[in-house]
Amino acid sequence: MWSRRCLLIVVIGGLLLPMLTVGCGNPSGGSGVPGRSLEDLSAGKRVTGDQGGDAATATSAVLQGLREMVLYIGSPFLLRGTLLALQIASLAMVGGLVLGLVLALMRLSSFLPVRGVAWFYIWFVRGTPQLLQLVFLYDALPMVGIKLDTFATAVIGFALNEAAFSAEIIRGGILSVNRTQAVAATAFGMGPFLTLRRIILPQAMRAILPGMANDTIAMIKLTSLASVIFVNELTFRSQQIVSQNFKFFTVFAAAGAIYLMLTTVISVAQAVLERHFNLELDRSATSRSVLARFLSIGRDAHPRAAPEGGDRIAVPEPANLMVALGAPTSRAVSGARLGHGSVPNHTNGDSGSAFVVCDDVCKAYGSREVLRGIDMSVRRGEVVTIMGPSGSGKSTLLRLINHLDRLDRGEITVGGALVGYERIGTSLQPARNIARARADARIGMVFQHFNLFEHLTALQNVIEAPSRVYGEPHAAAVERGMTLLSSVGLAHHAHHLPHRLSGGQQQRVAIARALAISPRLMLFDEPTSALDPELVGDVLGVIRRLADTGMTMIVVTHEVRFAREVADRVIFMDNGVIVEEGPPAEVLGAPKQPRTQQFLRLVEREVGTF
Amino acid sequence: MRSARWLIAVVLTGAVVMTLSSPAAAKCEPEKAGANYPNLVGKKIKIAVDPSTPPYTIRDPNDFEKIVGFDADFARAVFRCVGLQLEFVSGAWSGLLPSVIAGQNDAMWSNLYYTAERAKQVDYVVYMQAGTGALVQKGNPKKLKSMDDTCGVRAAAGLGTVEEAAFRDQSKKCVATGKPEIPQVSYPDVAGGVRLVQNDRADVMLTDLALVDQLARDNPTAFERGFAVMTGFKVGVAIKKGREDLLKALGTGLKEMQADGTQRELLKRYGLDPTLQITSETLRN
């Protein structure tokens, strides 16, 4: 340890040597020239340099200067100042981060007063000099009876200031994470804070880290501002020495070297953390330690994802999916946890009853009416496909069923219960815990753009909701997750991050993820629209087999053939209303409405080009 | 307004005077501290200093943790005399007086001049007068012999000091008489100001006369004294208003340390002119 430090000192000394020579060549002489001996130094004598000395004396002067500098670096007086700077900076950084996170979330709030307060705080703190803030805290607060000591003032002052800056860095990080990540987490019943902690922040870290490292380094150095409130940190102490012996060069070089050592530690920590949060570098399980991954550099054997063609699914039989869905242990556990008396029924046993009922559903975004009075019901075990041109409100309807968005009018029940609403009198009020309500509804959702959690492996994606929302034991969740991944033919990709998988593979992982919560209803929002044509088949195959298990499903799709083969009923929507509905043979085979006919002609021409 | 400040301060120094301390104080009575100052005894009185002001308050070259200098040693002697304990709290000079006004520290004892402006916020016990000196490069290349010569030259003074104000006032005078104004630089610490002159970034630096003379004496090849201004400024300890017991203790102690020759001795020890001593008095506005 000691030898490491010496090495560091020598290296930094070596860097400073040329500077020192320049300093000695300073024609104005005076205190720029280091003392001849340590005795001179400690006696505070001022040596007015004898200029124009020969090369030998110049060299010895440089060496002497270096020696002095190293002595100053090791002096307890300066080290105490260093420690103080570190204590203040680290405490203030922790406080600033916590407060900054709160402010960032306030800034992102949809509630104007909350947003406004955070904006005002950041505007004020960023806009006023930190020195004045410190003086105010130290010298003005006693007037109202709050007397903080020097150290507390410094920590609080720097933390309050850092909060404003880190809030913006954190907010930038959060905004850099695709919004669809939060939508997916929400759809699986994850509450806002769980979503933030598990999904958003880990992905935001990569954008947040460089800025935070900057702030940390800046703060360590800026603690010198606090000398005005009697904080005797490193810079202040070095200035004090200089004002006594006027040897600014060696003393300040020593202080600079100490700062450099401190900030080097921060820089290294930054590099290590950035590696940790860098998804491109990650190869498999994120549970591997940083060190382990560090050691495996250069002999990483994980191949890039095999092309889809070489990875044809070991086609799971419906029975396999049934097993995957019906793993009794996890069902029992999660059912008990949620207080459900009954285990969801996935069979066609009572196919007569309406499971999803939409009654006069209306939704507008601003002045644009997206849904204008939808009445629809889906029976238990029924597979309904919703078709229609884009903008017809299909996706919005799915989002409303899962309460990812609020209803303007009308109501939707799933299994007889409102999702995230409470009936008070005749009106509906949003439930207090909407996330819990979504979880209780057990609605699995598959998105057009997959929306897999980018920082989690396929398996972690699948087990996230079961273990975090439904409290399933880890081992059981993993076991079932692997079963589900096998059933969609991706067991060997279980430990790959989504960006290593093809679109079709990602969508199959997304289906496994939706199935992992033992859903009573599956919603598919154009599950194949973002896929290359040759990958569509695999995904549709999985959905088809799922339909065969008796799962109640609503599928928004443009795949006419799929609808014809799989759907029990087709609903055609246009411009916010249901235009036509009925068995596929009727709606797709002999559409009555001109709008439906026109759309089908268009879609089939497109399909024909494949 | 600014131009008046320099003069008014000098005039008011003599005008606004109230003597508090009892005329018949005898000698040091440290053992009677408990009876004399029941609210102060046993406590550490916090004295705000900026130990970068040679020869008044500086770090001990042999132990940087220790603060020495004329002011520091004198303060120790005064406190010993009245039987009270002190603690030096060091910070940047511009933060010292605000900390006393706010009550964060009990007194400022760091080569502080008396001005009427400051006396509105703190009480003083003064004990010496100050001279101001102009530090210039060896040979006085700009031939600066008085404040009137400083028009148009690069001038340096400490941040928030009376010298800084003096240059501002002088600059206005220069402009009024058709001469160029003074380009001014303010430094946060004395050593920084010295470097300005040394590196030819400033032509003149205005600071305490004793310090200027010491710098010129110690660095004969680099500096000399351009000129001196006997400003008549009084130097004193500043105490938060309303701290009557502390004011009384300092008044008594200072009187004793002057009477027994301690102040004179300390002035000599730190190379200061003993004639700078003035009879201590309490000044409040």
Side-chain angles (χ1 to χ4, degrees):
Chain A
M1 189 61 219
W2 174 244
S3 62
R4 280 255 175 102
R5 203 176 118 193
C6 284
L7 186 69
L8 196 57
I9 290 171
V10 168
V11 168
I12 291 167
L15 288 174
L16 288 169
L17 192 71
M19 291 164 57
L20 206 58
T21 319
V22 172
C24 288
N26 181 352
S28 62
S31 50
V33 179
R36 289 193 182 81
S37 70
L38 215 60
E39 284 69 31
D40 281 357
L41 180 78
S42 58
K45 285 185 190 157
R46 287 143 197 91
V47 182
T48 47
D50 35 358
Q51 283 126 37
D54 59 26
T57 45
T59 310
S60 78
V62 167
L63 288 176
Q64 181 60 40
L66 267 180
R67 227 184 97 201
E68 270 175 25
M69 195 187 85
V70 171
L71 280 170
Y72 278 123
I73 290 175
S75 88
F77 183 69
L78 287 187
L79 287 181
R80 264 192 285 277
T82 311
L83 188 66
L84 190 60
L86 269 184
Q87 284 171 331
I88 290 172
S90 47
L91 286 175
M93 205 64 206
V94 171
L97 268 177
V98 173
L99 190 55
L101 179 59
V102 172
L103 282 169
L105 295 178
M106 287 172 72
R107 282 274 272 143
L108 294 168
S109 164
S110 54
F111 191 45
L112 180 65
V114 172
R115 232 169 36 230
V117 165
W119 183 89
F120 180 85
Y121 178 90
I122 293 168
W123 167 78
F124 182 80
V125 171
R126 283 200 312 188
T128 51
Q130 196 171 4
L131 185 73
L132 303 193
Q133 291 167 12
L134 288 172
V135 172
F136 182 87
L137 286 176
Y138 188 72
D139 289 333
L141 284 188
M143 287 181 215
V144 293
I146 304 169
K147 198 161 169 183
L148 299 169
D149 69 19
T150 286
F151 186 77
T153 308
V155 170
I156 292 170
F158 281 103
L160 291 178
N161 192 71
E162 176 57 30
F165 286 88
S166 59
E168 290 297 89
I169 295 174
I170 293 170
R171 189 170 66 94
I174 290 175
L175 291 176
S176 77
V177 178
N178 198 320
R179 172 98 192 97
T180 58
Q181 296 284 306
V183 171
T186 307
F188 290 108
M190 294 176 75
F193 287 101
L194 186 61
T195 303
L196 181 75
R197 184 168 64 84
R198 293 284 307 166
I199 306 300
I200 307 294
L201 283 183
Q203 298 187 57
M205 281 310 281
R206 216 183 152 192
I208 290 173
L209 271 171
M212 291 316 301
N214 270 359
D215 275 17
T216 310
I217 285 173
M219 192 196 285
I220 288 176
K221 296 190 288 184
L222 271 180
T223 50
S224 60
L225 277 181
S227 66
V228 78
I229 56 161
F230 299 88
V231 171
N232 288 200
E233 51 62 69
L234 181 53
T235 297
F236 179 75
R237 282 170 185 250
S238 56
Q239 283 175 323
Q240 299 268 296
I241 298 179
V242 170
S243 64
Q244 176 265 128
N245 64 13
F246 292 85
K247 291 183 168 301
F248 79 93
F249 201 91
T250 43
V251 178
F252 286 167
I258 294 174
Y259 277 120
L260 201 55
M261 287 185 238
L262 296 182
T263 55
T264 303
V265 173
I266 306 290
S267 300
V268 170
Q270 178 191 356
V272 169
L273 282 172
E274 278 192 29
R275 274 189 67 85
H276 179 74
F277 287 106
N278 185 349
L279 297 181
E280 272 96 70
L281 277 181
D282 194 301
R283 286 151 294 270
S284 59
T286 47
S287 57
R288 286 171 67 196
S289 72
V290 171
L291 184 66
R293 267 187 281 143
F294 187 78
L295 292 175
S296 69
I297 290 174
R299 46 189 177 85
D300 169 42
H302 286 283
R304 289 205 70 89
E308 184 84 8
D311 155 59
R312 285 281 145 194
I313 309 175
V315 178
E317 296 302 314
N320 289 353
L321 267 179
M322 288 283 276
V323 169
L325 285 169
T329 50
S330 54
R331 287 267 291 282
V333 166
S334 49
R337 165 111 184 160
L338 289 167
H340 281 259
S342 63
V343 170
N345 183 1
H346 299 281
T347 64
N348 275 322
D350 50 354
S351 57
S353 62
F355 187 65
V356 181
V357 179
C358 299
D359 178 20
D360 191 26
V361 169
C362 292
K363 178 73 187 175
Y365 292 108
S367 60
R368 197 167 63 87
E369 288 185 86
V370 182
L371 295 176
R372 303 184 294 160
I374 300 285
D375 293 309
M376 177 186 89
S377 67
V378 178
R379 292 188 311 280
R380 207 179 284 277
E382 195 179 18
V383 177
V384 172
T385 60
I386 303 179
M387 307 189 79
S390 65
S392 59
K394 313 177 297 283
S395 298
T396 303
L397 183 59
L398 284 196
R399 291 169 56 81
L400 291 180
I401 290 172
N402 201 5
H403 199 159
L404 287 175
D405 237 326
R406 286 174 63 169
L407 288 160
D408 288 350
R409 210 175 72 206
E411 65 175 64
I412 298 175
T413 56
V414 177
L418 298 161
V419 181
Y421 287 100
E422 285 163 1
R423 199 185 305 278
I424 296 174
T426 52
S427 69
L428 298 187
Q429 295 294 324
R432 235 165 292 146
N433 191 340
I434 294 175
R436 183 80 277 176
R438 285 196 201 97
D440 287 346
R442 290 199 178 246
I443 300 171
M445 195 157 184
V446 175
F447 303 89
Q448 179 177 358
H449 296 286
F450 334 132
N451 298 13
L452 289 179
F453 305 132
E454 294 294 330
H455 63 303
L456 300 178
T457 63
L459 179 62
Q460 288 168 333
N461 263 280
V462 174
I463 67 171
E464 180 68 17
S467 53
R468 300 283 163 179
V469 178
Y470 296 93
E472 203 167 308
H474 185 74
V478 168
E479 191 190 328
R480 212 160 78 83
M482 285 307 295
T483 311
L484 281 167
L485 284 174
S486 307
S487 72
V488 296
L490 290 171
H492 58 294
H493 286 303
H495 300 296
H496 287 170
L497 287 171
H499 72 92
R500 301 247 160 189
L501 305 176
S502 72
Q505 290 170 330
Q506 290 193 46
Q507 194 59 300
R508 282 187 273 143
V509 172
I511 294 171
R513 176 176 67 168
L515 292 174
I517 64 165
S518 304
R520 301 184 298 165
L521 168 68
M522 283 287 282
L523 305 176
F524 291 86
D525 188 4
E526 303 199 27
T528 57
S529 300
L531 298 178
D532 290 339
E534 72 268 26
L535 305 184
V536 169
D538 289 336
V539 171
L540 288 182
V542 170
I543 299 175
R544 184 177 284 125
R545 281 187 297 281
L546 190 58
D548 291 343
T549 68
M551 175 68 72
T552 312
M553 305 201 294
I554 303 175
V555 185
V556 171
T557 185
H558 294 307
E559 299 288 340
V560 176
R561 204 168 63 121
F562 170 81
R564 194 173 277 141
E565 290 170 5
V566 178
D568 296 315
R569 193 149 49 98
V570 174
I571 292 177
F572 183 79
M573 281 177 69
D574 188 24
N575 204 16
V577 294
I578 293 177
V579 174
E580 191 168 358
E581 67 176 301
E586 281 175 25
V587 178
L588 301 175
K592 297 188 191 77
Q593 301 295 328
R595 193 69 194 83
T596 317
Q597 295 162 357
Q598 188 193 353
F599 177 76
L600 287 174
R601 269 200 305 277
L602 265 168
V603 171
E604 267 158 10
R605 192 179 308 150
E606 240 173 68
V607 171
T609 61
F610 288 168
Chain B
M1 177 60 208
R2 290 264 184 224
S3 59
R5 217 166 128 191
W6 182 258
L7 256 177
I8 287 172
V10 178
V11 175
L12 285 186
T13 304
V16 191
V17 169
M18 264 179 66
T19 312
L20 244 202
S21 46
S22 62
K27 47 179 107 57
C28 288
E29 298 173 316
E31 69 286 353
K32 289 193 186 165
N36 290 341
Y37 317 106
N39 295 325
L40 299 179
V41 74
K43 287 182 193 156
K44 290 216 163 185
I45 307 298
K46 286 158 92 178
I47 307 289
V49 295
D50 178 8
S52 66
T53 341
Y56 301 97
T57 41
I58 47 166
R59 299 276 173 182
D60 185 337
N62 300 313
D63 175 10
F64 291 139
E65 298 287 1
K66 201 180 164 204
I67 292 162
V68 295
F70 168 75
D71 275 345
D73 288 0
F74 194 34
R76 282 196 189 92
V78 167
F79 272 76
R80 203 178 304 120
C81 171
V82 293
L84 297 177
Q85 285 179 293
L86 65 72
E87 176 191 9
F88 290 118
V89 186
S90 51
W93 200 86
S94 51
L96 302 186
L97 204 55
S99 78
V100 173
I101 295 165
Q104 290 278 14
N105 291 309
D106 298 305
M108 169 176 177
W109 199 326
S110 198
N111 193 30
L112 179 70
Y113 292 179
Y114 172 91
T115 69
E117 204 68 33
R118 286 172 184 162
K120 283 179 191 160
Q121 309 207 1
V122 285
D123 291 337
Y124 276 89
V125 184
V126 295
Y127 51 85
M128 68 181 280
Q129 61 174 329
T132 298
L135 185 75
V136 296
Q137 287 147 26
K138 181 71 192 165
N140 196 358
K142 292 281 159 79
K143 305 289 170 237
L144 306 176
K145 289 294 170 199
S146 73
M147 277 302 273
D148 292 335
D149 297 337
T150 58
C151 295
V153 306
R154 299 163 304 167
L159 187 64
T161 59
V162 294
E163 291 88 357
E164 189 187 36
F167 274 131
R168 272 200 298 269
D169 294 343
Q170 180 62 38
S171 186
K172 284 180 192 143
K173 278 189 217 158
C174 295
V175 174
T177 55
K179 291 183 194 158
E181 62 177 358
I182 301 175
Q184 218 175 320
V185 190
S186 298
Y187 52 78
D189 62 320
V190 169
V194 172
R195 287 197 296 278
L196 288 174
V197 178
Q198 180 196 335
N199 294 330
D200 193 30
R201 297 182 200 279
D203 298 307
V204 58
M205 163 187 173
L206 210 56
T207 188
D208 182 80
L209 181 59
L211 174 59
V212 168
D213 286 345
Q214 186 187 329
L215 284 165
R217 191 167 61 241
D218 291 342
N219 303 280
T221 58
F223 305 121
E224 67 180 60
R225 185 221 282 183
F227 57 88
V229 188
M230 294 318 286
T231 50
F233 271 114
K234 288 178 181 173
V235 182
V237 199
I239 301 133
K240 185 180 166 68
K241 282 204 180 291
R243 301 290 305 272
E244 300 300 334
D245 47 358
L246 184 58
L247 195 64
K248 183 173 152 226
L250 289 171
T252 308
L254 275 162
K255 195 173 285 291
E256 288 310 315
M257 290 300 94
Q258 293 196 327
D260 75 357
T262 303
Q263 182 178 357
R264 192 168 301 275
E265 210 172 282
L266 286 172
L267 285 169
K268 275 191 230 158
R269 186 190 299 170
Y270 283 99
L272 291 155
D273 183 353
T275 62
L276 289 174
Q277 180 174 329
I278 58 168
T279 308
S280 75
E281 58 180 338
T282 300
L283 299 180
R284 41 192 1 194
N285 194 340

